[in-house]
Amino acid sequence: IAIDHEAFSQGQRKFRVAGVAAAGSAQQELPNAQECLEVMTGAITPRGASAVIRYEDLQMSKGYAEIIIDAVPDQLNIHQQGSDRKEGGSIVKAGQMMGAPEIGIAATVGRSDIMVKDIPQVLIISNGDELVSVSDHPQPHQIRSSNVHTIKAALKNGLGIVAETLHLPDDEQVIKNKLAEKLEEFPIIILLGGSSKGKFDFIPKALESLQVQRHFYKIAQRPGKPFWFGTRGDRNHVFALPGNPVSCFMCLVRYVIPWFRSCREDVGRQQFATLSEDFSFVPELTYYLQVEISNQDGKTLAVPRTGHGSGDLANLCAANAFLELPADRDKFLAGEVFPYFKYR
């Protein structure tokens, strides 16, 4: 019931029910301080009312409502206009992903049309004569193509990007012709393999001939050293990931996905975990240790799941993140904290 709080403060506990204020009906008016209106959740507060008492706190009998609790503060159970957010204030920041709550907020404030960033067109290109399709039975000199499916799934699951795919043989002219065609069609191209120093690694040369400016090639890290990145004007961004499965996936998780997120202004906060046991790595390189991230007694713990090198794709199922170990040391002790990049 909705009442005049002043009447309660003066000792009145029993009120005659003068009507019902339903949700969705026009605002009613409390007839006088001695009477009340039954009021439904979501209804506009009647004029003259300054407190709302729940049915659980009343005794209803013969057209009267008696308040059976001792304390009724002024404005009890009345939700004031503007108490959630003030007019003109920011509710959803620019760069926020439009999830279920954001869609609901937009509907609430009447924003039927929203300016959003477009989902980019992405092409993933695998390369190499040794690769055959998943359904094929590989000969001893062949392997099934897996990287393209790994990267495509990661982009879809993590970013909602549905990338297209293409396979190129180890043919310099075919590679150049196809890249020239696809650079006109796709603003973002992710190349898998073919960017190292082998005799059949034609991709860097082809990209250079197509005026794709290389910004860097090779990173002092393991895995994933032969990572290439370049641009062509403002239109094209080209990533060339290593061919080894773990190296390829790590570079995607560590660099490519964060780049996509930064384009959306969705940078997020760096996450850190505590190393669960001693670990050593001798070369002077940043090392991305495969770990299983878990929460134990309120602490984020990183348990090493080392595997058997860059070709051990199956080991990624035993881990769920890469722990970034710095290059300026070779011993890392249990209890130390390092940044990590989670992939599931």
Side-chain angles (χ1 to χ4, degrees), residues 253-254 257-258 261 266-275 288-289 291-295 299-302 320-325 336-344:
V253 171
R254 174 61 183 87
I257 288 178
R261 287 182 173 148
D266 178 25
V267 179
R269 292 186 298 174
Q270 180 63 69
Q271 296 178 298
F272 295 85
T274 302
L275 188 60
Y288 288 93
L289 175 65
V291 295
E292 183 180 3
I293 299 292
S294 61
N295 190 295
K299 179 185 288 187
T300 302
L301 207 63
N320 60 10
F322 294 99
L323 194 71
E324 185 177 280
L325 302 179
E336 292 189 287
V337 176
F338 301 100
Y340 70 90
F341 297 85
K342 200 169 185 181
Y343 56 84
R344 61 181 175 85

CSV table of all heavy atoms in Angstrom, one decimal, residues 253-254 257-258 261 266-275 288-289 291-295 299-302 320-325 336-344:
chain,number,residue,atom,x,y,z
A,253,VAL,N,47.4,-15.7,-29.9
A,253,VAL,CA,46.9,-15.4,-28.5
A,253,VAL,C,47.6,-14.2,-27.9
A,253,VAL,O,47.0,-13.3,-27.3
A,253,VAL,CB,47.1,-16.6,-27.6
A,253,VAL,CG1,46.8,-16.2,-26.1
A,253,VAL,CG2,46.2,-17.7,-28.0
A,254,ARG,N,48.9,-14.1,-28.1
A,254,ARG,CA,49.7,-13.0,-27.5
A,254,ARG,C,49.7,-11.7,-28.2
A,254,ARG,O,49.7,-10.6,-27.6
A,254,ARG,CB,51.2,-13.5,-27.4
A,254,ARG,CG,52.2,-12.4,-26.9
A,254,ARG,CD,51.8,-12.0,-25.5
A,254,ARG,NE,52.7,-10.9,-25.0
A,254,ARG,CZ,52.5,-9.6,-25.2
A,254,ARG,NH1,51.4,-9.2,-25.9
A,254,ARG,NH2,53.3,-8.7,-24.7
A,257,ILE,N,45.2,-11.4,-31.3
A,257,ILE,CA,43.9,-11.2,-30.6
A,257,ILE,C,43.9,-9.9,-29.8
A,257,ILE,O,42.9,-9.1,-29.9
A,257,ILE,CB,43.5,-12.4,-29.8
A,257,ILE,CG1,43.0,-13.6,-30.7
A,257,ILE,CG2,42.4,-12.1,-28.8
A,257,ILE,CD1,42.7,-14.8,-30.0
A,258,PRO,N,45.0,-9.6,-29.1
A,258,PRO,CA,45.0,-8.3,-28.4
A,258,PRO,C,45.0,-7.1,-29.3
A,258,PRO,O,44.4,-6.1,-29.0
A,258,PRO,CB,46.4,-8.4,-27.6
A,258,PRO,CG,46.6,-9.8,-27.4
A,258,PRO,CD,46.1,-10.5,-28.6
A,261,ARG,N,41.4,-6.6,-30.3
A,261,ARG,CA,40.7,-6.0,-29.1
A,261,ARG,C,41.1,-4.5,-29.0
A,261,ARG,O,40.2,-3.7,-28.6
A,261,ARG,CB,41.0,-6.7,-27.9
A,261,ARG,CG,40.3,-8.1,-27.8
A,261,ARG,CD,40.5,-8.9,-26.6
A,261,ARG,NE,39.7,-10.0,-26.5
A,261,ARG,CZ,40.0,-11.2,-26.0
A,261,ARG,NH1,41.2,-11.3,-25.4
A,261,ARG,NH2,39.2,-12.2,-26.0
A,266,ASP,N,38.9,-2.2,-26.6
A,266,ASP,CA,38.6,-3.2,-25.6
A,266,ASP,C,40.0,-3.8,-25.1
A,266,ASP,O,40.3,-5.0,-25.3
A,266,ASP,CB,37.7,-4.3,-26.1
A,266,ASP,CG,37.4,-5.4,-25.1
A,266,ASP,OD1,37.5,-5.1,-23.9
A,266,ASP,OD2,37.1,-6.5,-25.5
A,267,VAL,N,40.8,-3.0,-24.5
A,267,VAL,CA,42.1,-3.4,-24.1
A,267,VAL,C,42.1,-4.3,-22.9
A,267,VAL,O,42.8,-5.3,-22.9
A,267,VAL,CB,43.0,-2.2,-23.8
A,267,VAL,CG1,44.4,-2.6,-23.4
A,267,VAL,CG2,43.1,-1.3,-25.0
A,268,GLY,N,41.3,-4.0,-21.9
A,268,GLY,CA,41.3,-4.8,-20.7
A,268,GLY,C,42.5,-4.7,-19.8
A,268,GLY,O,43.4,-3.9,-20.1
A,269,ARG,N,42.6,-5.4,-18.8
A,269,ARG,CA,43.7,-5.4,-17.8
A,269,ARG,C,44.6,-6.6,-18.0
A,269,ARG,O,44.1,-7.7,-18.2
A,269,ARG,CB,43.2,-5.3,-16.4
A,269,ARG,CG,42.4,-4.0,-16.1
A,269,ARG,CD,42.1,-3.9,-14.6
A,269,ARG,NE,41.2,-4.9,-14.2
A,269,ARG,CZ,40.8,-5.1,-13.0
A,269,ARG,NH1,41.3,-4.4,-12.0
A,269,ARG,NH2,40.0,-6.1,-12.7
A,270,GLN,N,45.9,-6.4,-17.8
A,270,GLN,CA,46.8,-7.5,-17.8
A,270,GLN,C,46.5,-8.4,-16.6
A,270,GLN,O,46.3,-8.0,-15.5
A,270,GLN,CB,48.2,-7.0,-17.8
A,270,GLN,CG,49.3,-8.1,-17.8
A,270,GLN,CD,49.3,-8.9,-19.0
A,270,GLN,OE1,49.6,-8.4,-20.1
A,270,GLN,NE2,48.9,-10.2,-18.9
A,271,GLN,N,46.5,-9.7,-16.9
A,271,GLN,CA,46.3,-10.7,-15.8
A,271,GLN,C,47.6,-11.3,-15.4
A,271,GLN,O,48.5,-11.5,-16.2
A,271,GLN,CB,45.3,-11.8,-16.3
A,271,GLN,CG,43.9,-11.2,-16.6
A,271,GLN,CD,43.0,-12.3,-17.1
A,271,GLN,OE1,43.3,-12.9,-18.2
A,271,GLN,NE2,41.9,-12.5,-16.4
A,272,PHE,N,47.7,-11.7,-14.1
A,272,PHE,CA,48.9,-12.2,-13.5
A,272,PHE,C,48.6,-13.5,-12.7
A,272,PHE,O,47.5,-13.6,-12.2
A,272,PHE,CB,49.6,-11.2,-12.6
A,272,PHE,CG,50.1,-10.0,-13.3
A,272,PHE,CD1,49.2,-8.9,-13.5
A,272,PHE,CD2,51.4,-9.9,-13.7
A,272,PHE,CE1,49.7,-7.8,-14.2
A,272,PHE,CE2,51.9,-8.8,-14.4
A,272,PHE,CZ,51.0,-7.7,-14.6
A,273,ALA,N,49.6,-14.4,-12.7
A,273,ALA,CA,49.4,-15.6,-11.9
A,273,ALA,C,50.7,-16.0,-11.2
A,273,ALA,O,51.8,-15.6,-11.6
A,273,ALA,CB,49.0,-16.8,-12.9
A,274,THR,N,50.6,-16.8,-10.2
A,274,THR,CA,51.7,-17.2,-9.4
A,274,THR,C,52.2,-18.6,-9.9
A,274,THR,O,51.4,-19.5,-10.0
A,274,THR,CB,51.3,-17.4,-7.9
A,274,THR,OG1,50.8,-16.1,-7.4
A,274,THR,CG2,52.5,-17.8,-7.0
A,275,LEU,N,53.5,-18.6,-10.2
A,275,LEU,CA,54.1,-19.9,-10.7
A,275,LEU,C,54.1,-20.9,-9.6
A,275,LEU,O,54.5,-20.6,-8.4
A,275,LEU,CB,55.5,-19.6,-11.1
A,275,LEU,CG,56.3,-20.8,-11.8
A,275,LEU,CD1,55.6,-21.2,-13.1
A,275,LEU,CD2,57.7,-20.3,-12.1
A,288,TYR,N,57.4,-18.3,-23.5
A,288,TYR,CA,56.0,-18.4,-23.2
A,288,TYR,C,55.7,-19.9,-22.8
A,288,TYR,O,55.6,-20.8,-23.6
A,288,TYR,CB,55.1,-18.0,-24.4
A,288,TYR,CG,55.2,-16.5,-24.6
A,288,TYR,CD1,56.1,-15.9,-25.4
A,288,TYR,CD2,54.3,-15.7,-23.9
A,288,TYR,CE1,56.2,-14.5,-25.6
A,288,TYR,CE2,54.4,-14.3,-24.0
A,288,TYR,CZ,55.3,-13.7,-24.8
A,288,TYR,OH,55.4,-12.4,-25.0
A,289,LEU,N,55.6,-20.0,-21.5
A,289,LEU,CA,55.4,-21.3,-20.9
A,289,LEU,C,53.9,-21.7,-20.9
A,289,LEU,O,53.1,-21.0,-20.5
A,289,LEU,CB,55.9,-21.3,-19.4
A,289,LEU,CG,55.7,-22.5,-18.6
A,289,LEU,CD1,56.5,-23.7,-19.1
A,289,LEU,CD2,56.1,-22.3,-17.1
A,291,VAL,N,50.8,-23.2,-19.5
A,291,VAL,CA,50.4,-23.5,-18.1
A,291,VAL,C,48.9,-23.7,-18.0
A,291,VAL,O,48.2,-23.3,-18.9
A,291,VAL,CB,50.8,-22.3,-17.2
A,291,VAL,CG1,52.3,-22.1,-17.1
A,291,VAL,CG2,50.1,-21.0,-17.7
A,292,GLU,N,48.5,-24.3,-16.9
A,292,GLU,CA,47.1,-24.4,-16.6
A,292,GLU,C,46.8,-23.5,-15.5
A,292,GLU,O,47.4,-23.5,-14.4
A,292,GLU,CB,46.8,-25.9,-16.1
A,292,GLU,CG,45.3,-26.1,-15.8
A,292,GLU,CD,45.0,-27.5,-15.4
A,292,GLU,OE1,45.9,-28.3,-15.2
A,292,GLU,OE2,43.8,-27.7,-15.1
A,293,ILE,N,46.0,-22.5,-15.8
A,293,ILE,CA,45.6,-21.5,-14.8
A,293,ILE,C,44.4,-22.0,-14.0
A,293,ILE,O,43.4,-22.4,-14.5
A,293,ILE,CB,45.2,-20.1,-15.5
A,293,ILE,CG1,46.4,-19.6,-16.3
A,293,ILE,CG2,44.7,-19.1,-14.5
A,293,ILE,CD1,47.6,-19.1,-15.4
A,294,SER,N,44.6,-21.9,-12.7
A,294,SER,CA,43.4,-22.3,-11.8
A,294,SER,C,43.4,-21.4,-10.6
A,294,SER,O,44.4,-20.7,-10.3
A,294,SER,CB,43.6,-23.8,-11.4
A,294,SER,OG,44.8,-24.0,-10.6
A,295,ASN,N,42.3,-21.4,-9.9
A,295,ASN,CA,42.2,-20.6,-8.6
A,295,ASN,C,42.2,-21.6,-7.5
A,295,ASN,O,41.3,-22.4,-7.3
A,295,ASN,CB,40.9,-19.8,-8.7
A,295,ASN,CG,40.8,-18.8,-7.6
A,295,ASN,OD1,40.7,-19.2,-6.4
A,295,ASN,ND2,40.8,-17.5,-7.9
A,299,LYS,N,43.9,-17.7,-4.8
A,299,LYS,CA,45.1,-17.3,-5.5
A,299,LYS,C,45.1,-17.9,-6.9
A,299,LYS,O,44.8,-19.0,-7.1
A,299,LYS,CB,46.3,-17.8,-4.8
A,299,LYS,CG,47.7,-17.5,-5.4
A,299,LYS,CD,48.9,-18.1,-4.7
A,299,LYS,CE,49.1,-17.4,-3.4
A,299,LYS,NZ,50.4,-17.9,-2.7
A,300,THR,N,45.5,-17.0,-7.9
A,300,THR,CA,45.5,-17.5,-9.3
A,300,THR,C,46.9,-18.2,-9.5
A,300,THR,O,47.9,-17.6,-9.4
A,300,THR,CB,45.4,-16.3,-10.3
A,300,THR,OG1,44.1,-15.7,-10.0
A,300,THR,CG2,45.4,-16.8,-11.7
A,301,LEU,N,46.8,-19.5,-9.7
A,301,LEU,CA,48.0,-20.3,-9.8
A,301,LEU,C,48.3,-20.8,-11.2
A,301,LEU,O,47.3,-21.1,-12.0
A,301,LEU,CB,47.8,-21.5,-8.9
A,301,LEU,CG,49.1,-22.2,-8.3
A,301,LEU,CD1,49.8,-21.2,-7.4
A,301,LEU,CD2,48.7,-23.4,-7.6
A,302,ALA,N,49.6,-20.7,-11.7
A,302,ALA,CA,50.0,-21.2,-13.0
A,302,ALA,C,50.8,-22.5,-12.8
A,302,ALA,O,51.9,-22.4,-12.3
A,302,ALA,CB,50.8,-20.1,-13.7
A,320,ASN,N,45.9,-24.0,-20.5
A,320,ASN,CA,44.8,-23.1,-21.0
A,320,ASN,C,45.4,-21.7,-21.1
A,320,ASN,O,44.6,-20.7,-21.3
A,320,ASN,CB,43.6,-23.1,-20.0
A,320,ASN,CG,44.0,-22.8,-18.6
A,320,ASN,OD1,45.1,-22.3,-18.3
A,320,ASN,ND2,43.0,-23.0,-17.7
A,321,ALA,N,46.7,-21.5,-21.0
A,321,ALA,CA,47.3,-20.2,-21.0
A,321,ALA,C,48.8,-20.2,-21.3
A,321,ALA,O,49.4,-21.3,-21.2
A,321,ALA,CB,47.0,-19.4,-19.7
A,322,PHE,N,49.3,-19.1,-21.7
A,322,PHE,CA,50.8,-18.9,-21.8
A,322,PHE,C,51.3,-18.0,-20.7
A,322,PHE,O,50.7,-16.8,-20.6
A,322,PHE,CB,51.1,-18.4,-23.2
A,322,PHE,CG,50.8,-19.3,-24.3
A,322,PHE,CD1,49.7,-19.2,-25.1
A,322,PHE,CD2,51.7,-20.4,-24.6
A,322,PHE,CE1,49.3,-20.0,-26.1
A,322,PHE,CE2,51.4,-21.3,-25.7
A,322,PHE,CZ,50.2,-21.1,-26.4
A,323,LEU,N,52.2,-18.4,-20.0
A,323,LEU,CA,52.8,-17.5,-18.9
A,323,LEU,C,54.1,-16.9,-19.5
A,323,LEU,O,54.9,-17.6,-20.1
A,323,LEU,CB,53.2,-18.4,-17.7
A,323,LEU,CG,53.5,-17.6,-16.4
A,323,LEU,CD1,52.3,-17.0,-15.8
A,323,LEU,CD2,54.2,-18.6,-15.4
A,324,GLU,N,54.1,-15.5,-19.4
A,324,GLU,CA,55.2,-14.8,-20.0
A,324,GLU,C,56.4,-14.7,-19.1
A,324,GLU,O,56.3,-13.9,-18.1
A,324,GLU,CB,54.8,-13.4,-20.5
A,324,GLU,CG,55.8,-12.6,-21.2
A,324,GLU,CD,55.2,-11.3,-21.7
A,324,GLU,OE1,54.5,-11.3,-22.7
A,324,GLU,OE2,55.5,-10.3,-21.0
A,325,LEU,N,57.5,-15.3,-19.4
A,325,LEU,CA,58.7,-15.3,-18.5
A,325,LEU,C,59.7,-14.4,-19.2
A,325,LEU,O,60.1,-14.6,-20.3
A,325,LEU,CB,59.3,-16.7,-18.3
A,325,LEU,CG,58.3,-17.8,-17.7
A,325,LEU,CD1,58.9,-19.1,-17.6
A,325,LEU,CD2,57.8,-17.3,-16.4
A,336,GLU,N,56.7,-16.8,-7.5
A,336,GLU,CA,56.9,-15.6,-8.3
A,336,GLU,C,55.6,-15.3,-9.2
A,336,GLU,O,55.0,-16.3,-9.6
A,336,GLU,CB,58.1,-15.6,-9.1
A,336,GLU,CG,59.4,-15.6,-8.3
A,336,GLU,CD,60.6,-15.4,-9.1
A,336,GLU,OE1,61.0,-16.3,-9.8
A,336,GLU,OE2,61.2,-14.3,-9.1
A,337,VAL,N,55.4,-14.1,-9.5
A,337,VAL,CA,54.2,-13.7,-10.2
A,337,VAL,C,54.6,-13.2,-11.6
A,337,VAL,O,55.5,-12.4,-11.7
A,337,VAL,CB,53.4,-12.6,-9.5
A,337,VAL,CG1,52.2,-12.1,-10.3
A,337,VAL,CG2,52.9,-13.2,-8.1
A,338,PHE,N,53.9,-13.7,-12.6
A,338,PHE,CA,54.2,-13.3,-14.0
A,338,PHE,C,52.9,-13.1,-14.8
A,338,PHE,O,51.8,-13.6,-14.4
A,338,PHE,CB,55.0,-14.4,-14.7
A,338,PHE,CG,56.3,-14.7,-14.1
A,338,PHE,CD1,56.4,-15.8,-13.2
A,338,PHE,CD2,57.4,-13.9,-14.2
A,338,PHE,CE1,57.6,-16.1,-12.6
A,338,PHE,CE2,58.6,-14.2,-13.6
A,338,PHE,CZ,58.7,-15.3,-12.8
A,339,PRO,N,52.9,-12.3,-15.8
A,339,PRO,CA,51.7,-12.1,-16.7
A,339,PRO,C,51.4,-13.3,-17.5
A,339,PRO,O,52.3,-14.1,-17.8
A,339,PRO,CB,52.1,-10.9,-17.6
A,339,PRO,CG,53.5,-10.9,-17.6
A,339,PRO,CD,54.0,-11.4,-16.3
A,340,TYR,N,50.1,-13.5,-17.7
A,340,TYR,CA,49.7,-14.7,-18.5
A,340,TYR,C,48.6,-14.3,-19.6
A,340,TYR,O,47.9,-13.2,-19.4
A,340,TYR,CB,49.2,-15.8,-17.7
A,340,TYR,CG,47.9,-15.6,-17.0
A,340,TYR,CD1,46.7,-16.0,-17.6
A,340,TYR,CD2,47.8,-15.1,-15.7
A,340,TYR,CE1,45.4,-15.8,-17.0
A,340,TYR,CE2,46.5,-14.9,-15.1
A,340,TYR,CZ,45.4,-15.2,-15.7
A,340,TYR,OH,44.2,-15.0,-15.1
A,341,PHE,N,48.5,-15.1,-20.6
A,341,PHE,CA,47.5,-14.8,-21.7
A,341,PHE,C,46.7,-16.1,-21.8
A,341,PHE,O,47.2,-17.1,-22.3
A,341,PHE,CB,48.3,-14.5,-23.0
A,341,PHE,CG,49.1,-13.2,-22.9
A,341,PHE,CD1,50.4,-13.2,-22.3
A,341,PHE,CD2,48.5,-12.0,-23.2
A,341,PHE,CE1,51.1,-12.1,-22.2
A,341,PHE,CE2,49.2,-10.8,-23.1
A,341,PHE,CZ,50.5,-10.9,-22.6
A,342,LYS,N,45.5,-16.0,-21.4
A,342,LYS,CA,44.6,-17.2,-21.4
A,342,LYS,C,43.9,-17.4,-22.7
A,342,LYS,O,43.5,-16.4,-23.4
A,342,LYS,CB,43.6,-17.0,-20.3
A,342,LYS,CG,43.0,-18.3,-19.8
A,342,LYS,CD,42.2,-18.1,-18.5
A,342,LYS,CE,41.7,-19.5,-18.0
A,342,LYS,NZ,40.9,-19.3,-16.7
A,343,TYR,N,43.8,-18.6,-23.1
A,343,TYR,CA,43.1,-18.9,-24.4
A,343,TYR,C,41.8,-19.8,-24.2
A,343,TYR,O,41.1,-20.0,-25.2
A,343,TYR,CB,44.0,-19.6,-25.4
A,343,TYR,CG,44.7,-20.8,-25.0
A,343,TYR,CD1,44.1,-22.1,-25.1
A,343,TYR,CD2,46.0,-20.8,-24.5
A,343,TYR,CE1,44.7,-23.2,-24.8
A,343,TYR,CE2,46.7,-22.0,-24.2
A,343,TYR,CZ,46.0,-23.2,-24.3
A,343,TYR,OH,46.7,-24.3,-23.9
A,344,ARG,N,41.5,-20.3,-23.0
A,344,ARG,CA,40.2,-20.9,-22.7
A,344,ARG,C,40.1,-21.1,-21.3
A,344,ARG,O,41.1,-21.0,-20.5
A,344,ARG,CB,40.1,-22.2,-23.5
A,344,ARG,CG,41.1,-23.3,-23.2
A,344,ARG,CD,40.8,-24.5,-24.0
A,344,ARG,NE,41.9,-25.5,-23.8
A,344,ARG,CZ,41.9,-26.4,-22.8
A,344,ARG,NH1,40.9,-26.4,-21.9
A,344,ARG,NH2,42.9,-27.3,-22.6
